[in-house]
Amino acid sequence: PAKSAPQPLAAAHQPVPVGVFLQPTMSWGRIGQAGEVYLGVHPILLGLVGAGRKLEFRAAGEHVAKGEPLVSISRSGRRLTLRSPISGRVDRVNLGAVGETQWTGAEGRGGDWLCRLLPEFVTDESRSWLSGTAAAEWTRQRYDELRAYLTNAVADGHLGVTMADGGELPAGILGELDQGVWDGLEDCFLAPEGTTREPRT
């Protein structure tokens, strides 16, 4: 049977909900009424990994320092590590949201947050977080950088066969690429404080 056309990564163009802050590590946070912080993975990143992904979290009760591994995202033996944008204790994990790649519900008590942290220094550690127009612009820029990275990473033409209409990145494209591309993406886009390094060779 004919292979279905790749679907564009819809998350790239969704508005960031009110009250949601983006972090340079491709994560997002929402501060609760009691000062707790609900953290999630940017929908773009989950969309790039695609269906069949698995997420693993630090256990409830564990302490995590800013920059330490918080969430592991894997598919078919390949893996990305998302690092915590803040220091604190993991209070709860939301396993029901593992499959979410949309912003739907991010503002509610449920929603697509993945970890709830009780932070230690949220005022100091959240200074680089973005919301509103700044968050939307950052998302557009990050998407363009991801598209350029993935296009260069597979310059042999592999990506060209699977690009969606209009040259957009297709959902699940990372699932077709090797661990070296995943490693380079982690180095360039998931480094703490938004710092980047050249992809591994």
Side-chain angles (χ1 to χ4, degrees):
K3 198 173 183 179
S4 59
Q7 296 301 307
L9 190 66
H13 308 294
Q14 296 169 357
V16 179
V18 174
V20 168
F21 296 86
L22 300 187
Q23 292 106 19
T25 51
M26 294 292 290
S27 56
W28 63 264
R30 177 170 53 82
I31 301 175
Q33 293 183 349
E36 73 279 21
V37 177
Y38 298 86
L39 294 174
V41 180
H42 199 297
I44 284 182
L45 193 61
L46 294 179
L48 286 174
V49 175
R53 63 186 169 271
K54 296 181 180 178
L55 276 71
E56 298 177 12
F57 314 92
R58 298 288 287 268
E62 279 194 74
H63 179 273
V64 59
K66 181 177 180 178
E68 287 186 345
L70 180 65
V71 180
S72 173
I73 309 169
S74 62
R75 179 182 172 190
S76 303
R78 287 148 290 180
R79 184 178 303 272
L80 292 170
T81 298
L82 194 76
R83 298 182 179 275
S84 181
I86 55 173
S87 300
R89 181 171 60 84
V90 179
D91 181 54
R92 183 179 169 191
V93 295
N94 183 16
L95 297 178
V98 166
E100 295 286 345
T101 61
Q102 310 293 320
W103 287 116
T104 305
E107 299 171 59
R109 288 190 176 183
D112 45 14
W113 59 273
L114 296 174
C115 299
R116 185 171 71 188
L117 266 67
L118 304 182
E120 295 175 339
F121 316 109
V122 68
T123 300
D124 293 332
E125 294 180 336
S126 63
R127 296 185 190 279
S128 62
W129 297 7
L130 301 172
S131 64
T133 303
E137 179 60 27
W138 183 89
T139 295
R140 286 191 291 269
Q141 291 178 355
R142 211 59 168 162
Y143 175 79
D144 289 342
E145 292 166 356
L146 282 162
R147 181 167 55 184
Y149 166 74
L150 290 171
T151 301
N152 290 334
V154 286
D156 58 359
H158 177 73
L159 185 62
V161 187
T162 57
M163 287 288 275
D165 290 341
E168 299 291 338
L169 287 173
I173 183 61
L174 272 178
E176 303 180 30
L177 304 175
D178 62 29
Q179 184 63 50
V181 177
W182 289 55
D183 289 343
L185 188 148
E186 182 174 317
D187 288 345
C188 292
F189 297 96
L190 306 185
E193 298 298 327
T195 57
T196 59
R197 296 185 301 177
E198 291 299 318
R200 300 168 189 161
T201 56

